[in-house]
Structures are given as structure tokens and as C-alpha cells.
Amino acid sequence: MAGYMKIQYRPTVMDVHRVLLDGGVHPSYCRRGIASALIAHALQAAVRQGYDRALLSVDSENATGAFGIFERAGFTATRRYVKWER
């Protein structure tokens, strides 16, 4: 498997719709446009569900790469969290 994308919709609206995405691309297949294609497909599915404007939460081990991909897809980061470990 080269990559995957999972979408979770929140059925209730608080301030905006909430959409959670989880996904990844195997390192051997990176930089081939797979993540961008998966995100585009996920966005089309969200619009079909009526989520034309949504807050997207991204939790990624490789957050820097994920942020760049979503920014190129037209998203603007409103907040970024950093996980600290010791």
C-alpha cells in the first residue's frame, strides 16, 4: 500500500463543522503527489457531505511535512501544537 486517508466527520456543528483526517504515505512513495491526491479526494467527499467550510484538525508525527501539504492545498494554519517529550 502506497498511502491511505481516513475522514471522520463530526455530526454536530458547534462554531464550524469539524473534520478529522488521518492518513499517510509510505516513505518510498513520497514526493509523487499521492498525499495531495488523497487530500483532494477527501475534500471532494467532505463537500458532498455538506461540509463546504470546515475546521480541519491534523495530528501527525511528521507535522512539518503535513502542514506544508495542507498549506499547498489552500488551508491556512490557525494554530499549531507542538508535542514535547522527555
Side-chain angles (χ1 to χ4, degrees):
M1 179 167 59
Y4 75 98
M5 179 70 62
K6 179 178 74 173
I7 310 167
Q8 180 183 0
Y9 304 104
R10 299 289 182 179
T12 58
V13 177
M14 307 235 339
D15 50 344
V16 295
H17 288 107
R18 303 219 179 249
V19 179
L20 304 173
L21 291 184
D22 182 24
V25 174
H26 189 280
S28 298
Y29 294 91
C30 286
R31 310 206 51 76
R32 296 184 187 186
I34 295 171
S36 296
L38 289 169
I39 291 167
H41 184 74
L43 293 175
Q44 291 170 0
V47 168
R48 284 194 303 272
Q49 293 293 320
Y51 290 73
D52 57 344
R53 184 174 183 274
L55 175 66
L56 174 67
S57 297
V58 178
D59 182 16
S60 173
E61 292 293 323
N62 182 13
T64 304
F67 287 139
I69 291 168
F70 283 105
E71 286 170 348
R72 286 190 296 279
F75 287 90
T76 302
T78 55
R79 289 187 287 178
R80 293 186 183 190
Y81 295 97
V82 177
K83 185 169 118 180
W84 295 80
E85 292 184 7
R86 181 172 178 190

